[in-house]
Amino acid sequence: MTTTGTTLFNLDLANLMEEAFERAGGEIRSGYNVRTARRSLNLLTIEWANRGINLWTIEQGQIALNQAQIAYNFPADTIDLLDQVVRTQTGIGQTDINITRISVSTYATIPNKNAQGRPIQVWINRQSGTVAETGLTISGNVLAADTTITLSATPTSLPQVGFINLGSETIQYTGISGATLTGCIRGQNGTTAAAHSSGADVYLNNLPCINVWPSPDQSDFYTFVYWRLKRIDDAGNGRDNQDIPFRLMPCLVAGLAYYIAMKIPEGQGRVDRLKLDYEEQWLLASAEDREKAALRIAPRQMFI
């Protein structure tokens, strides 16, 4: 007898939901069953993000730091940063230097946030990434190079520093003076600076971002290099594979079966057993999905 010689087994979303429904004591009979399973699956993956680090969702990125610019945004699906450094120069002459993560209370006590130098501290502002209506419009046309934007009224609902959307463009502003947004940095979050006509709606963009201190003392020299934890891909339209490594598939099925059992009549008598199975599978999965490198401790001494 020979083996198949293949290692391609995976569960597409349809088979994954079918397996979970069978464990919960039911079966997929309608489009609503598929919709409710997809909803539970999305909630389950969000729970996984809360439970700990998902190694397959770690993504490296970098941001070029500009002179005197304090805040920089991340993609909206960023959950948190795991590590970060400031890189000076490029190529063979580059050097990665540690930058210390600080809390909002520590950042708030810095007397002069506009001081310039090599950034040595960073506050990570973990915003939701949602876009909200402000009820405001722009007063007068805005050109692609404009660094001030006048609004239809004083923006009482906007933070003092943040991001707005005009059309398809994301714009960072660094201050508010009356009804005017000042210090606007155009074309943020991968968008392109563009002209906008008077009366265009203004939306608040709650992008996750960082504030560095001191602000960079030059452009084209410092790069903020980071490793971020991003959200697991959504369940999609029911025809895609789930964004889960094959080794964690048993845990995913067990968790989805538990979620489904809480919602269907056939599963009420199985909830406790399915929960125990899910927790056991989670322990196995989390023990496997972890760093296996040797622990390295680097002592540092700081003086305030």
Side-chain angles (χ1 to χ4, degrees):
M1 298 292 290
T2 61
T3 65
T4 62
T6 63
T7 54
L8 302 176
F9 173 78
N10 202 347
L11 289 177
D12 60 25
L13 199 52
N15 281 301
L16 190 154
M17 291 186 294
E18 186 175 24
E19 175 71 16
F21 258 97
E22 290 173 352
R23 293 191 187 191
E27 59 183 26
I28 297 178
R29 299 175 180 172
S30 66
Y32 176 77
N33 291 139
V34 174
R35 188 163 73 248
T36 190
R38 285 166 48 200
R39 184 169 64 243
S40 292
L41 188 55
N42 284 326
L43 290 171
L44 178 64
T45 55
I46 293 172
E47 179 200 322
W48 281 23
N50 291 331
R51 279 179 176 250
I53 297 172
N54 310 129
L55 292 185
W56 73 93
T57 66
I58 296 175
E59 182 178 87
Q60 183 180 354
Q62 60 185 43
I63 302 171
L65 303 184
N66 301 313
Q67 185 173 3
Q69 183 177 345
I70 296 174
Y72 302 83
N73 71 272
F74 291 110
D77 64 348
T78 300
I79 296 174
D80 201 359
L81 297 193
L82 301 179
D83 217 336
Q84 57 279 322
V85 296
V86 168
R87 177 170 295 166
T88 60
Q89 306 183 64
T90 59
I92 195 171
Q94 75 181 31
T95 302
D96 287 350
I97 306 171
N98 180 67
I99 181 169
T100 303
R101 181 172 180 169
I102 60 175
S103 66
V104 60
S105 57
T106 300
Y107 182 76
T109 59
I110 295 175
N112 184 1
K113 296 176 177 59
N114 294 312
Q116 295 189 17
R118 174 175 63 81
I120 60 173
Q121 294 181 324
V122 59
W123 167 47
I124 300 172
N125 188 358
R126 298 175 61 191
Q127 291 295 312
S128 62
T130 57
V131 178
E133 293 183 355
T134 64
L136 299 170
T137 60
I138 58 175
S139 177
N141 295 332
V142 174
L143 302 179
D146 286 348
T147 57
T148 60
I149 298 175
T150 302
L151 307 179
S152 56
T154 301
T156 56
S157 61
L158 293 182
Q160 190 65 27
V161 177
F163 299 86
I164 61 167
N165 280 7
L166 287 179
S168 60
E169 181 187 3
T170 300
I171 302 169
Q172 180 185 351
Y173 62 92
T174 59
I176 300 176
S177 177
T180 301
L181 305 181
T182 61
C184 295
I185 304 171
R186 308 297 299 274
Q188 298 293 289
N189 197 31
T191 62
T192 302
H196 305 279
S197 300
S198 180
D201 290 324
V202 177
Y203 296 90
L204 173 64
N205 198 339
N206 296 300
L207 288 169
C209 63
I210 56 168
N211 285 32
V212 297
W213 185 86
S215 64
D217 56 3
Q218 54 186 306
S219 298
D220 303 321
F221 186 77
Y222 302 115
T223 302
F224 186 83
V225 181
Y226 61 86
W227 288 261
R228 74 182 182 110
L229 188 66
K230 72 178 187 69
R231 286 183 56 172
I232 300 171
D233 288 355
D234 296 334
N237 56 17
R239 297 188 297 271
D240 303 309
N241 289 332
Q242 189 62 17
D243 179 27
I244 301 291
F246 76 93
R247 61 187 184 275
L248 271 67
M249 196 62 67
C251 181
L252 185 68
V253 172
L256 183 57
Y258 165 58
Y259 270 47
I260 290 173
M262 290 191 291
K263 299 194 293 186
I264 63 174
E266 303 94 322
Q268 296 305 300
R270 304 189 181 201
V271 170
D272 291 342
R273 179 165 56 84
L274 290 173
K275 178 175 174 56
L276 288 174
D277 180 50
Y278 171 43
E279 294 297 341
E280 180 182 356
Q281 290 296 333
W282 172 259
L283 289 176
L284 293 173
S286 59
E288 194 284 332
D289 191 54
R290 61 178 176 83
E291 288 282 6
K292 298 178 174 64
L295 176 64
R296 181 176 69 90
I297 299 176
R300 294 188 66 203
Q301 189 170 7
M302 298 183 67
F303 300 91
I304 305 298

